[in-house]
Amino acid sequence: MLKTTPLNAAHRAMNAKMVDFGGWDMPLHYGSQLEEHHQIRRDVGMFDVSHMLTVDIRGENVRQFLRGLVANNVDKLTIPGKALYTCMLNPAGGIIDDLIIYYLSESWFRLVVNAGTADKDIDWITSQSRQLAPDLAITPRRDLAMIAVQGPNARSKVWSVITDSQAASENLKPFQSIVVGDYFIARTGYTGEDGFEITLPADQAADFWQKLHTAGVAPAGLGARDTLRLEAGMNLYGQDMDENINPLESGLAWTVDLKSERDFIGKQALLVQPINRQLAGLVLLDKGVLRSHQKVVTQQSSEGEITSGGFSPTLNQSIALARIPAEVAVGEQVHVVVRDKQLAAKVVKYPFVRNGQVLV
């Protein structure tokens, strides 16, 4: 039996193409993945991301606990509502999950974790808490829904629906959040465009979704979400990273604090592991389509592999993220093995697209 979000009936009423997404019944598209992609780059669209899990951690020692749990430094969070992107590592330095942490007060931090790793994450967080901070209250919030409204016109559309939210949220910088009534409004997203991710009570989600739609916000599915995040150079857990890969070889060194004296799970492993690989962008120069797991042939002795690939609607050509030898430089030409043929591709610095602008 597939799990469903509070918006499942709304998706079906809008004639969504539904698919099994890691055990969740989710919309792939509402007619045209391509149109949904362009709609968000050029105007505004909305995604149901209620399959992701919000986790509230409360208690006197929550900051100290998170200092040791995640690779980024929660001491950067000093303003209520500020968010931090980070990885949670195992002792070998592998990535258990990537997540966002919101600082709400010294006794209340909120985490948003991936749907496919949610159960594993809760087990891991709970087990670590028992050892290090047994008095903390760890609460998975399946009573909440989450809707991402993304695109250059996203914020104004949200303000037109949540009429008392503009004054409170218009000065939010990226990776900041605020509570407005029943809405937890965060200026975050997974598309490379501006917008909000809005958490609200599950029983209010369908009404809010419909109000957004009436205001001109088009629904978008998993297909467009994937091409948008790929263009934006954003990692997907299970493809670009997992428990066998460390963040330093996943383009996520910027999320790891190795400078402070603070210790965290996986730190010692990261300090001694050689960094032989990097996550790089590829733009295909020949005709074809780049896909996950295709082999990348370089001028170096070792080979690489595409972790995420596909057709970029914005660039109108095929792009990919690939884990390749660390010594390969931006601008070099490599070859990708596609159906027993070696197709030429150029190594580029990602993101490929951000805020509607092509960057490669």
Side-chain angles (χ1 to χ4, degrees):
M1 186 72 176
L2 294 179
K3 300 175 185 177
T4 59
T5 75
L7 291 168
N8 189 268
H11 300 317
R12 294 182 176 279
M14 293 180 175
N15 298 315
K17 168 67 174 178
M18 305 298 288
V19 295
D20 180 350
F21 182 69
W24 288 84
D25 190 35
M26 296 294 292
L28 180 64
H29 60 73
Y30 298 80
S32 171
Q33 175 180 328
L34 185 63
E35 289 180 7
E36 292 166 18
H37 179 106
H38 289 313
Q39 175 74 15
I40 290 166
R41 283 276 179 256
R42 299 166 182 171
D43 186 7
V44 59
M46 59 183 176
F47 300 94
D48 176 14
V49 289
S50 304
H51 59 310
M52 300 181 70
L53 179 62
T54 297
V55 183
D56 285 338
I57 305 182
R58 296 176 182 262
E60 293 183 3
N61 299 315
V62 60
R63 182 185 289 271
Q64 183 61 31
F65 172 63
L66 292 173
R67 282 191 183 113
L69 184 72
V70 298
N72 213 339
N73 194 343
V74 294
D75 288 341
K76 298 174 183 178
L77 299 176
T78 59
I79 301 171
K82 189 74 176 70
L84 183 74
Y85 175 69
T86 185
C87 291
M88 185 165 60
L89 309 181
N90 59 30
I95 302 172
I96 295 174
D97 196 13
D98 66 319
L99 61 147
I100 294 179
I101 298 176
Y102 296 92
Y103 166 56
L104 302 178
S105 74
E106 279 305 309
S107 60
W108 179 19
F109 285 69
R110 170 166 285 183
L111 283 57
V112 177
V113 305
N114 283 303
T117 57
D119 292 341
K120 176 183 69 172
D121 290 354
I122 292 298
D123 289 345
W124 177 257
I125 293 169
T126 301
S127 67
Q128 297 304 311
S129 173
R130 289 195 190 105
Q131 300 177 46
L132 304 173
D135 294 333
L136 293 181
I138 300 168
T139 308
R141 298 295 305 275
R142 281 298 179 201
D143 59 318
L144 300 175
M146 188 185 301
I147 297 172
V149 187
Q150 302 282 289
N153 295 317
R155 294 198 299 154
S156 62
K157 289 295 186 181
V158 170
W159 294 331
S160 74
V161 174
I162 311 175
T163 54
D164 59 345
S165 66
Q166 182 169 354
S169 63
E170 66 180 340
N171 292 322
L172 288 181
K173 296 178 181 178
F175 270 69
Q176 289 185 339
S177 65
I178 196 163
V179 175
V180 180
D182 289 336
Y183 301 98
F184 179 77
I185 302 174
R187 197 173 176 189
T188 52
Y190 195 51
T191 63
E193 297 297 327
D194 199 0
F196 291 134
E197 291 179 311
I198 301 163
T199 304
L200 70 162
D203 59 4
Q204 298 180 27
D207 180 65
F208 183 52
W209 180 268
Q210 185 57 52
K211 287 179 178 177
L212 288 168
H213 189 248
T214 301
V217 183
L222 294 170
R225 191 166 183 255
D226 192 53
T227 53
L228 288 160
R229 73 89 193 168
L230 177 57
E231 289 183 348
M234 295 179 173
N235 283 30
L236 175 62
Y237 192 86
Q239 286 189 201
D240 306 300
M241 54 183 168
D242 56 35
E243 290 197 42
N244 298 311
I245 302 296
N246 72 57
L248 305 183
E249 294 187 333
S250 301
L252 296 173
W254 61 278
T255 73
V256 179
D257 168 35
L258 292 174
K259 294 182 179 180
S260 70
E261 296 182 1
R262 174 190 66 101
D263 195 16
F264 59 85
I265 299 169
K267 181 178 181 179
Q268 297 309 310
L270 295 183
L271 290 173
V272 300
Q273 289 177 4
I275 307 303
N276 297 319
R277 299 173 295 176
Q278 62 173 317
L279 195 68
L282 299 182
V283 173
L284 187 63
L285 302 178
D286 291 329
K287 291 183 178 180
V289 179
L290 302 179
R291 300 293 186 194
S292 301
H293 305 302
Q294 290 171 342
K295 184 169 67 175
V296 180
V297 180
T298 73
Q299 298 177 19
Q300 283 67 27
S301 57
S302 56
E303 298 173 337
E305 182 181 58
I306 288 178
T307 57
S308 288
F311 178 77
S312 163
T314 307
L315 276 67
N316 197 35
Q317 62 188 126
S318 195
I319 61 173
L321 297 176
R323 189 164 285 107
I324 60 177
E327 59 268 25
V328 178
V330 169
E332 283 191 31
Q333 183 169 301
V334 297
H335 289 84
V336 180
V337 179
V338 180
R339 296 181 179 178
D340 298 324
K341 294 182 179 180
Q342 291 196 10
L343 304 184
K346 181 181 179 181
V347 178
V348 299
K349 182 179 180 181
Y350 60 86
F352 305 88
V353 182
R354 186 63 60 89
N355 292 322
Q357 300 298 312
V358 175
L359 302 179
V360 296

